Amino acid sequence: MNLSYREKSLWIDLIATLVIAFYYAFALSGFSGEQIADIRAVMDLLWDVVVFGILVSIFSAIALSYHDSKAADAPLDERENLAELKATQYGYWVLLVGITAPVLLYGLESGGRDEMGLNLPPFATLHVMVAFYILAEILVSANQLWRLRQGL
């Protein structure tokens, strides 16, 4: 399978995002009740996720551009632009839900928590937003790859 520079970059982004998602979920599931309520533990986890994502993006861009510098500098063609536009549109909708859901969750958490019998973990809104952000990134990369492979 002959992959273009853009497809290689998208595959690396997709794999890195999946690794980040599994790491975040695994680390969060291993938190004790005290850790999940501790802002420092939660922020340390988020810091690890952000730093790993940035480092993978930087090193993959450097490695790919070193391997094929001409393709790295080339502008997107119409097909790549359309694939990116459509994939980003779907990712936008996931992010829209990902922002709306935590706002509603926050309202339930702060206003009617006792009356409704909700037992939400601390920082639940933060974790929901992070999960939807990761889901949107996975969707954008996967959709863009699918569109490029299909020639759409």
Side-chain angles (χ1 to χ4, degrees):
M1 178 177 356
N2 191 13
L3 297 175
S4 70
Y5 171 82
R6 306 270 186 253
E7 289 171 314
K8 289 175 188 174
S9 177
L10 285 168
W11 272 112
I12 291 172
D13 288 345
L14 179 61
I15 291 168
T17 306
L18 288 170
V19 167
I20 288 170
F22 286 118
Y23 172 75
Y24 185 77
F26 182 73
L28 202 57
S29 68
F31 275 11
S32 67
E34 288 180 7
Q35 285 177 313
I36 205 159
D38 181 20
I39 187 64
R40 288 180 191 242
V42 171
M43 292 310 291
D44 285 345
L45 174 60
L46 288 175
W47 177 256
D48 291 345
V49 166
V50 169
V51 168
F52 178 74
I54 290 170
L55 289 176
V56 168
S57 294
I58 290 171
F59 288 124
S60 67
I62 290 171
L64 285 175
S65 64
Y66 179 76
H67 183 286
D68 193 1
S69 61
K70 187 182 285 187
D73 294 334
L76 297 176
D77 62 14
E78 288 179 26
R79 182 180 63 93
E80 291 169 334
N81 272 330
L82 182 61
E84 185 176 347
L85 178 66
K86 286 299 219 178
T88 304
Q89 181 181 10
Y90 292 125
Y92 167 78
W93 284 104
V94 170
L95 278 178
L96 184 64
V97 170
I99 294 299
T100 305
V103 168
L104 295 174
L105 187 62
Y106 180 74
L108 290 174
E109 194 175 26
S110 61
R113 183 176 181 161
D114 294 333
E115 295 85 26
M116 297 183 75
L118 294 175
N119 191 12
L120 300 173
F123 308 113
T125 54
L126 173 69
H127 299 306
V128 170
M129 288 180 6
V130 170
F132 271 96
Y133 173 75
I134 290 172
L135 181 64
E137 285 294 316
I138 291 169
L139 177 70
V140 168
S141 295
N143 191 295
Q144 209 170 347
L145 277 168
W146 178 77
R147 289 179 182 283
L148 290 173
R149 287 278 87 192
Q150 296 297 319
L152 305 175

